[in-house]
Amino acid sequence: MKIILYRYMLKEQSIPLGVCLFGLSVILVTGRLIQIARYLFTSAVTVSDLAMVIGLAMPKLFLYIFPMAALMGVLLAFVRLNGDNEIVAMRAAGISFGQFAPPVLAVLTLLTSVALFIAISVAPVTNKVFRDKIKSLGQASLPILLKEGTFIDAIPKMVFFFQKVNAADMEIAGVFIRDNRQPNARAAITAESARLYYSSDQSQVVFKIQNGYVTRVGGNLEDAQVVSFKTYDLKIDFEELLGDSSSGDSTRRGEMSLAELRRTIRHHLSAKPPYRYAMEYHQRFALPFGCLFLGLVGAPLGTLSRRWSRMTGVTLGLGIFLAYYVMLSACKGMGENGVISPFFAVWTPNIVTALLAAHMWIETQRESRFVPPFVSRALSSGLEAFRGFHRKLRDGQRKG
């Protein structure tokens, strides 16, 4: 009996889980393609290059896709079972809610194990290859900046205009550059000439600008400053050429193995505060375990009373997922500023979610209401208002 139940539950969870994984991956990949698709037509970057960039970025994205897929996959499976009265029938046959735990835990443990493998072994390697690939694509994308008589806004928060361009020697005459990368100041650069070259580590393109002026205006548009110069170096990371903002110290931490992170934390080798590396270390484990804890929340949510809409559980699930990441972002911000310890900065959302999941499973096992009465009343009122609005809208369309 148990084997049949477990097989059935595994099958019921695998389908929505697979759909959620695929759907979320498509959404994130589409967003990334929209961000960099213009380089297909404005530079030497090929479709295969962009496909490689997306593939290298996916392991890091999976660490954020898996937790939501775990929550929604398990939740949708139980929503269907509850909507078709299968859970009621199983309870009538003597199957308690707690007996659903083994198949749910089996699916979530598998997903958590895969996420752990990606976070520990795959992501650091692909992050390094991704950064190297971005550098090479940045060099290939450089021709988009070498156009005469055209306002070029290929780089976010920057605009370029050049009167004459010698692409072979990478020399420019008649330079205008607007730079809004600093949040509290805007800069406009005008100069007679400029020359482009690469930095020593091949990570930046440098505009060596000669004989010009820099006009800086404060964020309040009241303070202004004009400075003349003979030589001015404007540096742009290759990541910025492709609209990528993941450069910097955080990128280097993401490329380090667990052993390297431990050594850095132990010996304080970095000039940056060690707690940033401690947070990266804990995050390698906390994000994968988010699959387990968020997924455990999904099962009780799917068994909410049928007098509510099926979307009630889904709506609450999305709210819990949003609250999880808001809490994670807030705690990480406090951790980076040294307000709380790195452990609690990363693990607090998981601890709260685990306690919530335990409470919901216990109350569902007892067949008692785990949603507070005021939340129930608010949901019921909201659903009734929505249904009333929908009826009025439908009646209005019929009369029209």
Side-chain angles (χ1 to χ4, degrees):
M1 180 65 178
K2 288 185 177 180
I3 295 177
I4 296 175
L5 174 65
Y6 294 167
R7 286 179 178 175
Y8 181 69
M9 292 302 300
L10 289 174
K11 177 183 175 182
E12 287 296 316
Q13 294 174 96
S14 61
I15 296 176
L17 179 62
V19 171
C20 289
L21 284 173
F22 177 77
L24 291 170
S25 299
V26 169
I27 291 172
L28 291 179
V29 168
T30 302
R32 183 60 172 159
L33 284 175
I34 291 174
Q35 184 181 9
I36 58 180
R38 56 184 170 178
Y39 295 96
L40 284 172
F41 311 103
T42 56
S43 70
V45 179
T46 64
V47 176
S48 61
D49 289 328
L50 293 177
M52 184 176 179
V53 169
I54 297 298
L56 291 172
M58 285 308 296
K60 185 176 181 180
L61 295 178
F62 277 142
L63 297 179
Y64 296 91
I65 293 174
F66 279 14
M68 186 173 186
L71 171 61
M72 298 308 298
V74 175
L75 172 60
L76 291 175
F78 276 82
V79 165
R80 195 206 68 77
L81 292 171
N82 188 51
D84 293 343
N85 287 325
E86 293 187 32
I87 291 180
V88 175
M90 291 179 187
R91 282 177 169 170
I95 299 174
S96 66
F97 188 76
Q99 290 180 267
F100 295 131
V104 172
L105 285 172
V107 171
L108 296 178
T109 300
L110 175 61
L111 199 61
T112 302
S113 300
V114 174
L116 276 171
F117 175 73
I118 292 175
I120 295 173
S121 302
V122 179
V125 177
T126 55
N127 287 344
K128 175 65 168 61
V129 179
F130 176 81
R131 185 165 63 87
D132 293 339
K133 185 63 178 179
I134 285 292
K135 286 183 181 179
S136 64
L137 291 184
Q139 294 179 3
S141 302
L142 192 58
I144 67 175
L145 295 178
L146 300 178
K147 295 181 179 179
E148 293 183 357
T150 303
F151 284 97
I152 305 165
D153 60 353
I155 299 178
K157 300 181 180 181
M158 298 190 75
V159 177
F160 301 84
F161 182 87
F162 308 129
Q163 289 183 342
K164 293 184 179 180
V165 174
N166 183 346
D169 297 329
M170 294 178 42
E171 294 180 346
I172 303 167
V175 178
F176 170 80
I177 300 174
R178 190 184 69 188
D179 187 354
N180 293 338
R181 291 178 295 174
Q182 298 297 325
N184 298 324
R186 303 176 184 180
I189 303 172
T190 56
E192 293 180 1
S193 61
R195 183 182 180 90
L196 274 68
Y197 64 93
Y198 300 126
S199 61
S200 58
D201 60 355
Q202 300 292 305
S203 64
Q204 295 176 320
V205 58
V206 181
F207 284 82
K208 195 172 188 65
I209 309 171
Q210 297 177 334
N211 301 323
Y213 297 89
V214 178
T215 303
R216 297 186 184 276
V217 180
N220 56 10
L221 301 181
E222 295 180 356
D223 301 326
Q225 181 185 40
V226 179
V227 179
S228 62
F229 61 85
K230 290 185 178 180
T231 302
Y232 182 86
D233 288 348
L234 179 67
K235 300 179 180 180
I236 302 174
D237 291 333
F238 282 125
E239 287 88 349
E240 294 183 79
L241 284 173
L242 292 181
D244 189 273
S245 60
S246 60
S247 60
D249 183 64
S250 60
T251 301
R252 305 302 188 273
R253 295 197 305 271
E255 298 170 1
M256 297 173 70
S257 66
L258 291 180
E260 290 172 333
L261 287 170
R262 283 196 296 265
R263 284 197 299 269
T264 303
I265 295 168
R266 188 180 303 114
H267 299 294
H268 299 249
L269 296 180
S270 175
K272 294 288 183 182
Y275 55 73
R276 292 180 180 268
Y277 293 88
M279 286 179 58
E280 177 68 29
Y281 181 86
H282 286 293
Q283 190 168 281
R284 300 281 176 90
F285 299 94
L287 287 179
F289 273 97
C291 302
L292 176 63
F293 300 131
L294 285 170
L296 287 173
V297 169
L301 280 179
T303 63
L304 288 175
S305 175
R306 294 187 71 244
R307 66 186 177 88
W308 290 342
S309 168
R310 290 190 179 189
M311 290 301 295
T312 303
V314 177
T315 303
L316 288 175
L318 291 174
I320 290 174
F321 178 79
L322 179 62
Y324 177 90
Y325 276 102
V326 169
M327 189 186 309
L328 179 62
S329 299
C331 290
K332 286 176 65 176
M334 290 188 290
E336 289 175 356
N337 293 318
V339 177
I340 59 178
S341 69
F343 176 85
F344 287 107
V346 177
W347 283 96
T348 294
N350 281 348
I351 294 172
V352 173
T353 306
L355 293 175
L356 177 63
H359 167 73
M360 295 170 68
W361 273 82
I362 292 172
E363 295 301 316
T364 305
Q365 171 68 13
R366 294 174 179 171
E367 298 189 25
S368 59
R369 193 166 52 181
F370 60 80
V371 179
F374 72 92
V375 176
S376 300
R377 290 193 295 270
L379 286 172
S380 298
S381 300
L383 288 172
E384 286 300 326
F386 177 77
R387 288 169 181 166
F389 174 76
H390 184 265
R391 283 194 297 268
K392 290 181 180 179
L393 184 62
R394 183 178 56 191
D395 293 341
Q397 289 176 346
R398 287 178 178 175
K399 291 179 180 179

